[in-house]
Amino acid sequence: MLIVMKASATPEMVVQICREIERMGLNAHPIQGTRTTTIEVTGNGFPVDPDGILSQPGVKEIIHITQPYKLVSREFSSSNTVVKINDVSIGAPEIVVMAGPCSVESREQCMTIAKLVAKSGAKVFRGGAFKPRTSPYSFQGLGEEGLKILAEVRERFGLIIVTEAMDTETMDMVAEYTDIIQIGSRNMQNFSLLRKAGRKKNPVLLKRGMSATLEEFLMAAEYIMAEGNHNIILCERGVRTFANHTRNTLDLSLVPAVKQISHLPIIVDPSHGTGVRDEILPMSRAAVAAGADGLLVEVHHDPVSALSDGGQSILPDMFEQMMQEVRAIAGVLGRSCA
Amino acid sequence: MLIVMKASATPEMVVQICREIERMGLNAHPIQGTRTTTIEVTGNGFPVDPDGILSQPGVKEIIHITQPYKLVSREFSSSNTVVKINDVSIGAPEIVVMAGPCSVESREQCMTIAKLVAKSGAKVFRGGAFKPRTSPYSFQGLGEEGLKILAEVRERFGLIIVTEAMDTETMDMVAEYTDIIQIGSRNMQNFSLLRKAGRKKNPVLLKRGMSATLEEFLMAAEYIMAEGNHNIILCERGVRTFANHTRNTLDLSLVPAVKQISHLPIIVDPSHGTGVRDEILPMSRAAVAAGADGLLVEVHHDPVSALSDGGQSILPDMFEQMMQEVRAIAGVLGRSCA
Amino acid sequence: MLIVMKASATPEMVVQICREIERMGLNAHPIQGTRTTTIEVTGNGFPVDPDGILSQPGVKEIIHITQPYKLVSREFSSSNTVVKINDVSIGAPEIVVMAGPCSVESREQCMTIAKLVAKSGAKVFRGGAFKPRTSPYSFQGLGEEGLKILAEVRERFGLIIVTEAMDTETMDMVAEYTDIIQIGSRNMQNFSLLRKAGRKKNPVLLKRGMSATLEEFLMAAEYIMAEGNHNIILCERGVRTFANHTRNTLDLSLVPAVKQISHLPIIVDPSHGTGVRDEILPMSRAAVAAGADGLLVEVHHDPVSALSDGGQSILPDMFEQMMQEVRAIAGVLGRSCA
Amino acid sequence: MLIVMKASATPEMVVQICREIERMGLNAHPIQGTRTTTIEVTGNGFPVDPDGILSQPGVKEIIHITQPYKLVSREFSSSNTVVKINDVSIGAPEIVVMAGPCSVESREQCMTIAKLVAKSGAKVFRGGAFKPRTSPYSFQGLGEEGLKILAEVRERFGLIIVTEAMDTETMDMVAEYTDIIQIGSRNMQNFSLLRKAGRKKNPVLLKRGMSATLEEFLMAAEYIMAEGNHNIILCERGVRTFANHTRNTLDLSLVPAVKQISHLPIIVDPSHGTGVRDEILPMSRAAVAAGADGLLVEVHHDPVSALSDGGQSILPDMFEQMMQEVRAIAGVLGRSCA
């Protein structure tokens, strides 16, 4: 059960409600949002008398939610969440394409790619400054130098920036330079990182863990929302299976499943989701046809020399073709794509 | 290595080539097709002298194939296989939709559904007369009575019929009544059944096994082709994974992967592939967007009373909507759908 | 619900009970066992009056079973099924080891291996005469010639024989030569094959499918039992997962799970279960420690030249060591091993 | 390639070697161990002249390692790593059992359980003070209060303590109270956390990720070792598969696989590995039979009231029986167990 407080409710009113809940042998978890406070009630005590609570000062409404996810659920918000950054809206009818290299490798590399993807219609530029790598001896990203390059891309091309924050230590720095903070698959259940992201003002792009169920994925988003940050973009990026014709198995069925039980926008990453260049275009079309709100795609002008993930990056002219195809599919669904 | 004989080659010429191959310490497997014979050469003996073989009477060409799959591979046939039944072509630009109930339950049920799906544009009617069921105590299908009902559907509505043959004993009977013989997921590596289907004149719809790799799937088709039946339609129907928001995980990335290495048409079954009614429309759109040549969908006018798989069947008006959406997606790809 | 008839019940009495059940709007499935008949009752009609039924002539008892599996369940038989062939008992305290080559390759090969494994304590000789192979061009087994070699092994070394029947066509022939009929993983849901095995007198070794759940595995055994053959040996042989350090992931947790809900014996195949020679000994020990009633192991005196699965076969001296280790583990559990 | 410096090598000597390596166009990564420094050489430059390097002051030996894992590999250390804490040795012939509740719930709960498990032969006490929970609304652990209780358990019962550090922020605090720092499955690729653990003096218990391959698991350990901490205990705890008779699929084949390519000790957690109480004893026996160096088991005197994971906890008398059985299996393998 969630007790939603009025925007005008004072801290004292919240404390008062919590006390009352606890007197009934239940637990009250106040969730401080940016504008309102919500009190999550858990436990097995006396049944709560809704009328009694509703009559208290500061209480706006009571929401009964039976699923484990509360704030991320459709029951909490019947209208779709639209994440807005400048003039870009994710979760709106327009499909938003995020493109760029796997890693920020150099100023020149980023400017070259950014120019090309912006021309083709990408609205968001992606690129890793901090890279989670299986081996400690692999290239780990340029760090702050990479973040500065990303900031320059924003300046020059007017692109929104998304980049990964790998740990709580560097998240403050990442948050300063980037627009959207990405939480990677390996960190989907790094709860301290989720909590910290929940206290940031930046929207968060949360990638599904490699073997996360739908419920675990939504509960990870719940961690972020419970801290007050409601601007979350979910991202399907393939899961681990026995199948070996792709690096991961892209689970597009997650898109309609999320749409049904959550109000959050969801995008698809066909690059990590398949790991195979020739799969990117067909799976991008399929993702949009399935109802995805956007795409996250690796583009590199010189994949052979890429420091990471070259084999799954598409070339700029493939990206241009992808945009055309995605635009056409979007149109059929009554959506658009720049 | 494959040695393709001319259509005019006599059996004696084939025997002569095989003898020569075996004299080199290699194995020769003559594959008798409907019009031509192909000799598969395997083993590690003396290297074959291509010029020597090519100069023999009856030899048309030599194809070097390095993958384990031979006849199913793009190297064997650079042009796409189009399976033609009456005026329906599977693997051609037109997307072919196969629809009908999970099981043939009664004459009335089939006529009702057939009329509705035909009106919406389905070209092929599906329905099981022999049903593979996990439990021996579940409804096992109407058997020959069901096949007769399917034959009547063909008569009345001009629909092509596809139905499953579960074993070699009943395949002859199934083949007589149906147009397309379906080999189910559980039988994808029932090699005796595959071989028998390979000796039939009917086209074969081969469903991917629940945990089959791409290679195993294509090798199953190879078993059919090696017996001379080249009219095979592959069908992706979801695989087993940890994910639990759908009954299976529909692996659409298989579609472009098959297209790249094989000339065979591939369709998608979103009904078994997800097991969730609300997933059928989005995943049908996604399948076509990914490049599928057709769809296999369960439709029931009264799913609650269905004897099997009611929960994943769509209603006739959802099917009508699905057809419209699929038609629109097909159009974007330069394809059509009745 | 199961109605167990007395051994002395006449066919007429069975018919009478069935009629009565059907008059209540329920379905009656008489299951003809070797000595007694059991009537499985399904459907949603009037509640059955147990006293009324029990008072009928020929009725021994009524068993209420809530799981989907009936005959295979502990509720049907509280005592463990022991499969007896000559002086070998599978499911008894003694651990039974089945060993031999993947394929019967030649008379000499089988005699060599049989002599060695018999000396080390194997009681059952394994070897495939009909081989299910992914590729139609791979060695498919010696067929009847192989069965004759197996029969000779029995003659000479007094070993019980287990070999696979791949289809209903050749099952009669296989059944004549072998003691135990093996149903392979790929055929675990080949229901016609299961049914035919259920009508044989030979015990059946049923291997778990590559992605079969516990319930599906037990239901496959139920198909065999429902035809009257109660001598079934289950076999865990690894399942498909993302893990790549072994060919399959051997799921030993299935052993205690089966023991808890079924009365059937279960053995483990570490050879197919791991596909790695160095895993065979530790996993054999682990299987016995987990409670397995036996092992099925590939042994070859010359694995490099083996026509199939050489890489996972162990050498005779490794097998001798395995037997010693398994014997020691068995002893700790109060069991023995020849 | 690894260049191992002598214990007597000065920092200047290390710098000198690194400079030389870099002059060849290669990269040198000095890895400061507790007693010696190892220089990891990567990149594609001039081939290194081993004799030239070996003749330099301070160089002890050169190790050529072809796998991606270096320090964790058998090639780096042919003798098994034994992690010693007080009088307990993990990786030695004696099997070490770690037992205790899932979560530290109260002083009384821990003292009760600790007394019982110590009596039965456990050498290490487990219990979470910081709990990674799927839901932000679930019990998250007692935090520092819990750590204090664990420290008191050590005082009173002489047990070694292992508890999880969930983030870099609280790792210092955890490290102060505990003996062994646990890194949980969800954090197996939280590289910042691994690095921080690598700079601690405490031994580290590293749990396999839910869908981690063997290589990824060993590379995670490599992250820790590369920072200088060589006292790592690996832990298999089940992986995600389609199988549903257990919560995870316990992959015991990992134990012999790790033993073959790494010198690190490996233990098994049958509690999380199966999630089913009745599986704990058989799978504990199986784990030890497969070669595990220890077990990590959840024990609770009152599982019904447990705040987390009650359903998979065993009762103290089951634990006593488990110890007896494990001791017997250990004896058979020439090992012991307290």
Side-chain angles (χ1 to χ4, degrees):
Chain A
M1 200 180 80
L2 291 175
I3 301 168
V4 184
M5 302 299 288
K6 293 179 184 159
S8 60
T10 63
E12 290 73 29
M13 290 173 184
V14 174
V15 167
Q16 179 54 28
I17 298 291
C18 290
R19 232 177 252 154
E20 209 143 318
I21 294 297
E22 276 156 11
R23 232 187 36 224
M24 301 176 196
L26 294 158
N27 302 113
H29 314 264
I31 305 162
Q32 181 64 57
T34 45
R35 276 195 313 238
T36 62
T37 299
T38 305
I39 302 169
E40 156 74 5
V41 181
T42 58
N44 301 301
F46 293 94
V48 177
D49 166 20
D51 291 341
I53 295 286
L54 271 172
S55 64
Q56 300 279 332
V59 173
K60 190 180 158 206
E61 60 172 327
I62 287 181
I63 301 173
H64 287 280
I65 297 183
T66 48
Q67 287 102 331
Y69 17 85
K70 311 290 176 190
L71 303 171
V72 301
S73 78
R74 278 245 167 259
E75 285 166 297
F76 177 70
S77 165
S78 56
S79 63
N80 288 339
T81 287
V82 176
V83 176
K84 285 181 193 156
I85 309 135
N86 303 341
D87 58 338
V88 173
S89 296
I90 300 156
E94 188 173 333
I95 306 290
V96 176
V97 177
M98 312 184 178
C102 177
S103 303
V104 174
E105 295 169 18
S106 72
R107 207 182 149 281
E108 200 201 340
Q109 172 233 28
C110 281
M111 297 307 149
T112 306
I113 298 173
K115 192 176 170 182
L116 291 161
V117 299
K119 213 184 79 187
S120 295
K123 292 291 181 196
V124 181
F125 188 74
R126 60 149 293 153
F130 294 96
K131 297 299 302 173
R133 301 304 298 273
T134 301
S135 166
Y137 312 123
S138 299
F139 173 64
Q140 308 272 324
L142 295 181
E144 187 164 12
E145 191 193 328
L147 295 174
K148 284 180 181 164
I149 294 170
L150 290 172
E152 198 184 330
V153 164
R154 175 171 43 205
E155 282 299 286
R156 261 179 74 175
F157 301 101
L159 290 164
I160 305 290
I161 301 298
V162 60
T163 198
E164 179 164 354
M166 272 182 61
D167 48 36
T168 49
E169 288 88 339
T170 53
M171 186 179 272
D172 290 334
M173 190 207 285
V174 170
E176 247 176 80
Y177 286 99
T178 196
D179 297 293
I180 306 172
I181 298 171
Q182 180 176 316
I183 307 265
S185 293
R186 291 168 182 82
N187 280 319
M188 193 204 83
Q189 289 193 319
N190 180 338
F191 300 120
S192 309
L193 194 66
L194 296 174
R195 283 220 170 88
K196 181 145 187 177
R199 291 189 297 268
K200 289 287 168 197
K201 299 227 166 113
N202 314 55
V204 177
L205 176 65
L206 178 66
K207 299 191 99 175
R208 182 183 184 185
M210 288 180 197
S211 57
T213 62
L214 171 58
E215 182 174 324
E216 289 168 338
F217 191 22
L218 290 177
M219 291 310 283
E222 186 85 14
Y223 263 92
I224 300 171
M225 286 190 79
E227 296 292 323
N229 188 344
H230 288 208
N231 283 314
I232 300 170
I233 305 152
L234 302 172
C235 181
E236 158 65 24
R237 48 77 71 205
V239 289
R240 282 270 162 95
T241 74
F242 67 89
N244 54 11
H245 63 282
T246 45
R247 206 170 63 173
N248 294 293
T249 296
L250 191 64
D251 180 10
L252 291 181
S253 73
L254 196 85
V255 174
V258 161
K259 289 284 170 198
Q260 195 159 48
I261 58 177
S262 177
H263 51 84
L264 294 174
I266 177 162
I267 67 168
V268 169
D269 175 352
S271 302
H272 289 88
T274 68
V276 177
R277 186 173 299 137
D278 290 327
E279 290 272 354
I280 309 301
L281 268 65
M283 296 313 276
S284 291
R285 296 191 309 255
V288 172
D293 296 305
L295 296 167
L296 181 66
V297 186
E298 288 185 4
V299 179
H300 204 289
H301 63 297
D302 181 15
V304 178
S305 319
L307 291 177
S308 57
D309 277 354
Q312 74 192 28
S313 294
I314 56 174
L315 287 153
D317 54 350
M318 284 182 80
F319 180 67
E320 169 63 24
Q321 191 189 335
M322 187 200 98
M323 289 300 292
Q324 289 173 17
E325 293 180 4
V326 160
R327 216 170 276 135
I329 302 273
V332 161
L333 302 178
R335 304 183 77 160
S336 61
C337 182
Chain B
M1 202 178 81
L2 290 174
I3 301 169
V4 185
M5 302 300 288
K6 291 178 185 160
S8 60
T10 63
E12 290 72 29
M13 289 173 186
V14 174
V15 167
Q16 178 56 27
I17 298 291
C18 290
R19 231 176 254 155
E20 208 144 320
I21 294 296
E22 276 156 11
R23 232 187 36 223
M24 300 177 198
L26 294 158
N27 304 113
H29 313 265
I31 305 161
Q32 181 64 55
T34 45
R35 275 194 313 238
T36 62
T37 300
T38 306
I39 303 168
E40 157 73 5
V41 181
T42 58
N44 300 301
F46 291 94
V48 176
D49 166 20
D51 291 339
I53 295 287
L54 270 173
S55 63
Q56 301 279 333
V59 173
K60 189 179 159 208
E61 60 172 328
I62 289 181
I63 301 174
H64 288 280
I65 297 183
T66 47
Q67 287 100 331
Y69 17 86
K70 312 289 176 189
L71 303 171
V72 302
S73 78
R74 277 245 167 262
E75 286 165 296
F76 177 71
S77 165
S78 56
S79 63
N80 288 338
T81 287
V82 176
V83 177
K84 285 180 195 158
I85 309 135
N86 303 341
D87 59 337
V88 174
S89 296
I90 300 155
E94 188 173 333
I95 306 290
V96 175
V97 177
M98 310 182 178
C102 177
S103 303
V104 173
E105 295 168 18
S106 72
R107 206 181 148 281
E108 199 200 342
Q109 171 233 28
C110 281
M111 297 308 148
T112 307
I113 298 173
K115 191 176 171 182
L116 291 161
V117 298
K119 212 184 81 188
S120 295
K123 292 291 182 196
V124 182
F125 188 73
R126 62 149 292 153
F130 294 96
K131 298 298 303 171
R133 302 302 298 274
T134 300
S135 166
Y137 311 123
S138 299
F139 173 63
Q140 308 272 326
L142 296 181
E144 187 164 11
E145 190 192 328
L147 295 174
K148 285 180 180 163
I149 295 171
L150 291 172
E152 198 183 331
V153 164
R154 177 172 43 204
E155 281 300 285
R156 262 177 75 176
F157 302 102
L159 290 165
I160 305 289
I161 301 298
V162 60
T163 198
E164 180 164 353
M166 272 183 63
D167 46 39
T168 49
E169 288 86 341
T170 52
M171 186 180 272
D172 289 334
M173 191 207 286
V174 170
E176 247 176 80
Y177 286 99
T178 196
D179 297 292
I180 306 172
I181 298 171
Q182 179 176 316
I183 307 265
S185 292
R186 291 168 183 81
N187 280 319
M188 194 203 80
Q189 290 194 318
N190 181 338
F191 299 120
S192 309
L193 195 66
L194 296 175
R195 282 220 171 89
K196 180 145 189 178
R199 292 189 296 267
K200 289 285 167 197
K201 297 228 168 109
N202 313 56
V204 178
L205 175 65
L206 177 66
K207 299 192 98 176
R208 183 184 184 185
M210 289 180 195
S211 58
T213 62
L214 171 58
E215 182 174 325
E216 289 168 339
F217 191 22
L218 289 177
M219 290 311 283
E222 186 85 15
Y223 263 91
I224 300 171
M225 285 189 80
E227 297 292 324
N229 189 343
H230 287 208
N231 283 315
I232 300 169
I233 305 151
L234 302 172
C235 181
E236 158 65 24
R237 49 76 72 206
V239 289
R240 283 271 162 95
T241 74
F242 67 89
N244 54 11
H245 63 282
T246 45
R247 204 171 64 173
N248 294 293
T249 297
L250 190 64
D251 180 10
L252 291 182
S253 73
L254 196 84
V255 174
V258 161
K259 289 284 170 197
Q260 195 159 48
I261 58 178
S262 176
H263 52 84
L264 294 173
I266 177 163
I267 67 168
V268 170
D269 174 351
S271 302
H272 289 89
T274 68
V276 177
R277 186 173 298 139
D278 290 328
E279 290 273 354
I280 309 300
L281 267 65
M283 295 314 274
S284 292
R285 296 191 308 255
V288 172
D293 296 306
L295 296 167
L296 182 66
V297 186
E298 288 186 4
V299 179
H300 203 289
H301 63 297
D302 181 15
V304 178
S305 319
L307 290 178
S308 57
D309 278 354
Q312 73 193 26
S313 294
I314 56 174
L315 288 153
D317 54 350
M318 283 182 81
F319 179 68
E320 169 63 24
Q321 190 189 336
M322 187 201 97
M323 288 301 292
Q324 290 172 17
E325 293 180 5
V326 161
R327 214 170 277 135
I329 302 273
V332 160
L333 301 178
R335 304 183 76 161
S336 62
C337 182
Chain C
M1 201 180 81
L2 290 174
I3 301 168
V4 184
M5 303 299 288
K6 291 179 186 159
S8 60
T10 62
E12 291 70 31
M13 290 173 185
V14 174
V15 167
Q16 178 55 27
I17 298 292
C18 290
R19 232 176 253 153
E20 208 144 318
I21 294 296
E22 276 156 11
R23 232 186 36 223
M24 301 176 197
L26 294 157
N27 303 113
H29 313 264
I31 304 162
Q32 181 63 56
T34 45
R35 276 195 311 240
T36 62
T37 299
T38 305
I39 303 169
E40 156 75 6
V41 181
T42 57
N44 301 299
F46 291 95
V48 176
D49 165 20
D51 292 340
I53 295 287
L54 270 172
S55 64
Q56 300 279 335
V59 173
K60 190 180 159 206
E61 60 174 326
I62 289 182
I63 301 173
H64 288 280
I65 298 183
T66 48
Q67 289 101 330
Y69 16 86
K70 312 288 177 191
L71 303 171
V72 301
S73 78
R74 277 244 168 261
E75 284 164 298
F76 176 70
S77 166
S78 57
S79 63
N80 288 340
T81 287
V82 176
V83 177
K84 286 180 195 156
I85 310 135
N86 303 340
D87 58 338
V88 173
S89 296
I90 300 157
E94 187 173 334
I95 306 290
V96 175
V97 177
M98 311 183 178
C102 178
S103 303
V104 174
E105 296 170 17
S106 72
R107 208 183 148 279
E108 199 201 340
Q109 172 232 29
C110 280
M111 297 308 148
T112 306
I113 298 173
K115 192 177 171 182
L116 291 161
V117 298
K119 212 184 78 186
S120 295
K123 293 291 181 196
V124 182
F125 188 74
R126 60 148 293 152
F130 294 95
K131 298 297 304 172
R133 301 303 298 274
T134 301
S135 166
Y137 311 124
S138 300
F139 173 64
Q140 309 272 324
L142 295 181
E144 187 164 11
E145 190 193 326
L147 295 174
K148 285 179 181 166
I149 294 171
L150 291 172
E152 198 184 329
V153 164
R154 177 172 41 203
E155 281 300 286
R156 263 177 74 174
F157 301 102
L159 290 164
I160 305 290
I161 301 298
V162 59
T163 198
E164 180 164 353
M166 273 182 62
D167 47 37
T168 50
E169 287 87 340
T170 52
M171 185 179 271
D172 290 333
M173 190 207 287
V174 170
E176 248 175 80
Y177 286 99
T178 196
D179 297 293
I180 306 171
I181 298 172
Q182 179 176 316
I183 307 265
S185 292
R186 291 168 182 82
N187 280 319
M188 193 203 82
Q189 290 193 319
N190 180 339
F191 299 120
S192 309
L193 194 66
L194 296 174
R195 282 220 170 88
K196 181 144 188 178
R199 291 189 297 267
K200 289 285 167 198
K201 299 228 166 111
N202 315 55
V204 177
L205 175 66
L206 178 65
K207 299 191 97 177
R208 182 183 184 186
M210 289 181 196
S211 57
T213 62
L214 171 58
E215 181 173 326
E216 290 167 339
F217 191 22
L218 290 176
M219 291 311 282
E222 186 84 16
Y223 263 92
I224 300 170
M225 287 190 79
E227 296 292 324
N229 188 344
H230 288 209
N231 284 314
I232 300 169
I233 305 152
L234 302 172
C235 181
E236 158 65 24
R237 49 78 70 206
V239 289
R240 284 270 162 96
T241 74
F242 67 89
N244 54 12
H245 63 282
T246 45
R247 204 169 65 173
N248 294 294
T249 297
L250 190 65
D251 180 10
L252 291 181
S253 74
L254 196 85
V255 174
V258 162
K259 289 283 169 199
Q260 195 158 49
I261 58 179
S262 177
H263 52 84
L264 293 174
I266 177 163
I267 67 168
V268 170
D269 174 351
S271 302
H272 289 89
T274 67
V276 178
R277 186 172 298 138
D278 291 328
E279 291 272 354
I280 310 300
L281 268 64
M283 296 312 275
S284 291
R285 296 191 308 254
V288 173
D293 296 304
L295 296 167
L296 182 67
V297 186
E298 288 186 4
V299 178
H300 204 289
H301 62 298
D302 181 14
V304 177
S305 319
L307 291 176
S308 57
D309 278 354
Q312 73 192 27
S313 294
I314 57 173
L315 287 153
D317 54 351
M318 285 182 79
F319 180 67
E320 168 63 26
Q321 190 189 335
M322 188 199 98
M323 289 300 293
Q324 289 173 16
E325 294 180 5
V326 161
R327 216 170 277 135
I329 302 273
V332 160
L333 302 178
R335 304 183 77 161
S336 62
C337 182
Chain D
M1 201 179 82
L2 290 175
I3 301 168
V4 185
M5 303 299 290
K6 292 179 185 159
S8 60
T10 63
E12 290 72 27
M13 290 173 186
V14 174
V15 167
Q16 178 55 27
I17 298 291
C18 290
R19 232 177 252 154
E20 209 145 317
I21 293 296
E22 276 157 10
R23 231 186 38 220
M24 300 177 197
L26 293 158
N27 303 112
H29 313 265
I31 305 162
Q32 181 65 57
T34 45
R35 275 194 314 236
T36 61
T37 299
T38 305
I39 303 169
E40 154 75 5
V41 180
T42 58
N44 301 299
F46 292 94
V48 176
D49 166 21
D51 291 339
I53 295 286
L54 271 173
S55 63
Q56 300 278 333
V59 174
K60 190 179 159 207
E61 60 172 328
I62 289 181
I63 300 173
H64 287 280
I65 298 182
T66 48
Q67 287 101 331
Y69 17 86
K70 312 289 177 190
L71 304 171
V72 301
S73 78
R74 276 246 168 260
E75 285 165 297
F76 177 70
S77 166
S78 55
S79 63
N80 287 340
T81 287
V82 176
V83 176
K84 287 181 193 156
I85 310 134
N86 303 340
D87 59 337
V88 174
S89 296
I90 300 155
E94 188 173 333
I95 306 290
V96 176
V97 177
M98 311 183 178
C102 177
S103 302
V104 174
E105 295 169 18
S106 72
R107 207 183 148 281
E108 199 200 341
Q109 170 232 28
C110 280
M111 297 308 148
T112 306
I113 299 172
K115 192 176 169 182
L116 291 160
V117 298
K119 212 185 80 189
S120 295
K123 293 289 181 195
V124 181
F125 188 75
R126 61 149 294 152
F130 294 95
K131 297 299 304 172
R133 302 303 298 275
T134 301
S135 165
Y137 312 124
S138 299
F139 174 63
Q140 309 272 324
L142 295 181
E144 188 165 10
E145 191 192 327
L147 295 174
K148 284 179 182 164
I149 294 170
L150 291 172
E152 199 184 328
V153 164
R154 176 171 41 204
E155 283 299 286
R156 264 179 71 175
F157 301 102
L159 290 164
I160 305 290
I161 301 297
V162 59
T163 198
E164 180 165 353
M166 272 182 61
D167 48 37
T168 49
E169 287 87 341
T170 52
M171 186 180 272
D172 290 333
M173 190 207 286
V174 170
E176 249 176 78
Y177 285 100
T178 196
D179 297 293
I180 306 172
I181 299 171
Q182 179 176 316
I183 307 264
S185 292
R186 291 168 182 81
N187 280 319
M188 194 204 80
Q189 290 194 317
N190 180 339
F191 300 120
S192 310
L193 194 66
L194 296 175
R195 282 220 171 88
K196 181 145 188 178
R199 293 190 296 268
K200 289 286 168 199
K201 298 229 167 108
N202 314 56
V204 177
L205 176 66
L206 177 66
K207 299 191 99 176
R208 183 184 183 185
M210 288 179 196
S211 58
T213 63
L214 171 59
E215 181 173 327
E216 289 168 339
F217 191 21
L218 289 177
M219 291 311 283
E222 185 85 16
Y223 264 92
I224 299 170
M225 286 191 80
E227 297 292 324
N229 188 344
H230 288 207
N231 284 313
I232 300 169
I233 304 152
L234 302 172
C235 181
E236 159 63 26
R237 49 77 72 206
V239 289
R240 283 270 162 97
T241 74
F242 67 89
N244 54 11
H245 63 281
T246 45
R247 204 170 64 174
N248 294 293
T249 297
L250 191 64
D251 180 10
L252 291 182
S253 73
L254 197 85
V255 174
V258 161
K259 289 284 170 197
Q260 193 159 50
I261 59 179
S262 176
H263 52 83
L264 293 174
I266 176 162
I267 68 169
V268 170
D269 174 352
S271 303
H272 289 88
T274 67
V276 178
R277 186 172 300 138
D278 290 327
E279 290 273 353
I280 309 300
L281 267 65
M283 294 314 275
S284 292
R285 297 190 308 255
V288 172
D293 296 305
L295 295 166
L296 182 67
V297 186
E298 288 186 5
V299 178
H300 203 290
H301 63 296
D302 181 15
V304 178
S305 320
L307 291 176
S308 56
D309 278 353
Q312 72 192 30
S313 295
I314 56 174
L315 288 153
D317 54 350
M318 285 181 80
F319 180 68
E320 168 62 25
Q321 190 189 335
M322 187 199 98
M323 288 301 292
Q324 288 173 17
E325 294 181 4
V326 161
R327 216 170 277 136
I329 302 273
V332 161
L333 302 178
R335 305 183 75 160
S336 62
C337 182

